[in-house]
Each structure stands twice: as structure tokens, then as C-alpha cells.
Amino acid sequence: MSDYIYSIEAKEVNKTFKKKNKEIVALKDFNIQIKKGSIHGLLGPNGAGKSTFINILGSLVKKDSGKINICGLNTDVETKKSKFKIGIVPQELNIDPFFTPYELLELQAGLYGIKKIDRITDEILENVGLTDQKKSYARTLSGGMRRRLLVAKALVHSPEMLILDEPTAGVDVELRRSLWEYIKKINKQGTTICLTTHYLEEAEELCDKITIINNGKVIKDDTKSNLLKLMSNKTVVFQINYIKKIPDEMLKYNPKIEDGNLHISYDKNQTSLNSIINILNKNEIYFDEINTYENDLEDIFLKLVNS
């Protein structure tokens, strides 16, 4: 593979669409760096600009201004070469229903100019779990199988980077998990992954770094672990035997009693769980069980987008 640090590097990218005498800003001074070998999440609400950026990378949309490098290649200067560096899995299930998976992959490889001897069609079909369906018409495949077939089509030219636009939209939980495992597998083999997703659980499970965008702008770009540290609120629930009165020194933790459980919220950067337990012990409030809950990416996402 080429010697570069970032698989995608975009600087000051702008795109405005004109519709019925109205200008819609899709990307505004958009900057992103996706490190080689990483799994990078691109998150944002509908209309945030995620798909516009992916379409620019795939040369389906032309940017108004800015600079983009794909795997070290400037897309304006080395357009054709840069296209070969990436594989894009679209959100739409755009598969010809009258071809088999094997035929579709062979056709795709031919479009990329890959010689028959160099094609890895059977290997890809096995990796995505479609060997048994390789000779079935695409129209007979389930939604999940078609989703896997899209991934397979994007891999025929062995790209250095794979871009997945909502890769598990509309698939069941079991298939989502199997796709996650496959994404991790090809990433370990050296392929850089960029995915857009509405499933925050997906980003939390897969991504090393996350860029959150809204209204065409980057509003947060950081590692997953740093983003999770942004919100330090923690909730602890004590299953208590008996409580006559909540101690005054506990009122600052917004205590609530529901169905025999005492709910406490606190900032883990300022208070430890032990200090709360000490207050309970001192006031002879005994408990049988403790359950703790921390914020996840969804809390952070909603806070950043709405701020």
C-alpha cells in the first residue's frame, strides 16, 4: 500500500445545491482526516451532509471548493487513480435482480478492468457468507443478503479504503452483528473503514474515532473514548430495604425513590461511588443490590447536535 497517513483528508470543502431559486448549503468549510487503518464513524442527523460528502468522494457530486486527498492522491489531479483506492457501499439496494451474485461480482470486476486471472470473486463471496447463494438470482435474496452483496461488490478491486453508508440499515439484529464482525475482520486485514450510521450502538461498537456533523459543519471530531468522557454523569440505583428520610447531604445528587429503589445521579469526575455508599452507611440505609448506568454516545450526540 502507498505511504500515507490519512486515507481521507478533506480541507475546507464546500458544496451548495440550488433548488427552485433557493440555495441549500450541504457542506460548509468541511474538514476531516480519516487515519489509515482505522474505523472512522461519520455521525449526524438527516440532512447533515454525510451522504453529500460520500457522493463527492465517489465523484457523483462535484464539490464547489476545497481539497480532498484519497489515500494520498489529490482527487482533482489524479481522479481515476483515487477512485480505485476506495470502495463505496451505498445506502440504497441498487442490485440488478436478474444477475446472480457471482455474475454481479464478475461484471463489477470487469468494469474495474481486473483481469480474469486476478479476480477473487469466490473468496469475496465466501467472506460475506454468500457462497451457497452464488448462483441464485439476486431478486431471490433476502434484504440482509443483498446488503452483504453490496459490500462484496465494493471489494472486487481490493480497495485500500471501504466507505459504508448506513451498512446495517433495515437488517435484523443477528445479521447486523455478523456484518460488524466482518467489518472488523477486513479492518484487521488492513482496510480502512469509514461508516455513516444512525445506530449509535454501531458507532460505539466499531469506531476508533468519530466525527459528528450537523448542517454541513463538523461540530465534534475526537476519539470515541474522549467523546464518552465528555459527559461524566452517572446514575446509580440502590435496591434498599427501608428508608425513612433521605439525608440532607444526599439532596445534591437528585435522589428519587421508585418501587423500593433509590436513584442517585452524580458527576463521576467530582464524586466517587464510595462516598455515596458511605453516606448511606452513616445514615443506616442498607441496600441489597447496586446497579450503575453511564451515558452513551446517544446522549453525547443529542447534546452536541441540540446545543
Side-chain angles (χ1 to χ4, degrees):
M1 289 190 181
S2 310
D3 185 24
Y4 55 87
I5 299 171
Y6 299 107
S7 294
I8 298 288
E9 191 168 18
K11 292 181 180 177
E12 302 294 315
V13 174
N14 289 280
K15 179 62 189 176
T16 300
F17 292 102
K18 292 181 180 177
K19 290 184 179 179
K20 295 180 181 178
N21 300 320
K22 184 181 178 185
E23 290 193 341
I24 299 168
V25 178
L27 293 174
K28 184 171 177 61
D29 299 328
F30 184 79
N31 296 283
I32 193 171
Q33 290 178 321
I34 298 175
K35 198 170 183 180
K36 179 181 177 181
S38 67
I39 302 182
H40 195 113
L42 194 57
L43 306 185
N46 287 331
K50 306 185 299 294
S51 293
T52 298
F53 180 60
I54 288 173
N55 287 335
I56 289 171
L57 293 176
S59 301
L60 296 174
V61 170
K62 191 173 180 181
K63 58 183 168 54
D64 296 333
S65 61
K67 179 184 173 184
I68 296 175
N69 284 349
I70 296 176
C71 300
L73 300 174
N74 186 313
T75 57
D76 294 325
V77 179
E78 299 180 276
T79 308
K80 194 172 180 181
K81 278 187 180 178
S82 65
K83 280 183 183 178
F84 274 80
K85 295 290 184 181
I86 59 171
I88 297 179
V89 181
Q91 201 175 136
E92 300 81 19
L93 293 169
N94 57 351
I95 295 167
D96 193 314
F98 298 103
F99 283 84
T100 67
Y102 185 87
E103 290 168 339
L104 284 167
L105 264 60
E106 284 289 297
L107 178 62
Q108 189 81 350
L111 292 171
Y112 274 101
I114 300 165
K115 295 176 182 176
K116 284 246 180 199
I117 196 169
D118 296 324
R119 295 178 190 175
I120 52 171
T121 301
D122 283 317
E123 181 186 324
I124 294 171
L125 287 170
E126 185 179 347
N127 281 334
V128 298
L130 288 175
T131 299
D132 292 343
Q133 291 80 25
K134 65 185 281 186
K135 293 184 178 179
S136 303
Y137 286 118
R139 67 176 181 268
T140 67
L141 301 180
S142 67
M145 287 176 182
R146 292 184 194 188
R147 183 72 58 189
R148 279 185 272 173
L149 183 53
L150 283 181
V151 175
K153 280 182 67 182
L155 293 171
V156 296
H157 59 298
S158 303
E160 295 178 29
M161 171 155 200
L162 188 63
I163 298 171
L164 301 149
D165 193 4
E166 301 285 348
T168 61
V171 303
D172 59 48
V173 174
E174 187 179 344
L175 179 58
R176 189 177 302 158
R177 289 276 170 190
S178 70
L179 279 168
W180 288 357
E181 291 309 310
Y182 184 60
I183 289 167
K184 289 176 186 175
K185 178 183 173 182
I186 57 177
N187 175 247
K188 283 179 183 174
Q189 292 170 349
T191 306
T192 306
I193 308 285
C194 174
L195 65 92
T196 73
T197 181
H198 278 108
Y199 300 111
L200 290 153
E201 180 195 2
E202 189 159 75
E204 208 162 341
E205 171 77 20
L206 296 173
C207 300
D208 309 309
K209 195 173 179 184
I210 291 167
T211 301
I212 298 174
I213 69 171
N214 195 28
N215 297 322
K217 296 180 182 178
V218 174
I219 56 174
K220 198 69 185 177
D221 182 68
D222 213 332
T223 63
K224 177 177 66 182
S225 56
N226 282 347
L227 281 172
L228 289 170
K229 286 176 188 172
L230 271 181
M231 294 184 71
S232 53
N233 286 345
K234 195 168 184 176
T235 301
V236 59
V237 179
F238 296 93
Q239 188 179 37
I240 52 175
N241 295 321
Y242 170 76
I243 184 169
K244 185 177 181 181
K245 180 179 178 293
I246 294 172
D248 290 342
E249 55 193 315
M250 195 164 271
L251 294 178
K252 60 184 176 182
Y253 301 127
N254 300 313
K256 289 188 294 184
I257 299 174
E258 293 177 359
D259 300 324
N261 294 319
L262 174 62
H263 296 250
I264 299 289
S265 299
Y266 66 99
D267 186 331
K268 63 184 180 183
N269 292 333
Q270 297 177 2
T271 306
S272 69
L273 179 57
N274 277 340
S275 64
I276 293 172
I277 291 172
N278 287 338
I279 294 172
L280 294 176
N281 289 337
K282 188 171 73 175
N283 288 274
E284 297 183 345
I285 300 169
Y286 304 112
F287 53 88
D288 295 323
E289 194 177 307
I290 303 177
N291 289 296
T292 58
Y293 306 90
E294 294 195 47
N295 288 300
D296 58 18
L297 272 177
E298 185 163 8
D299 300 311
I300 297 163
F301 176 81
L302 292 171
K303 183 179 180 182
L304 289 170
V305 167
N306 294 326
S307 60

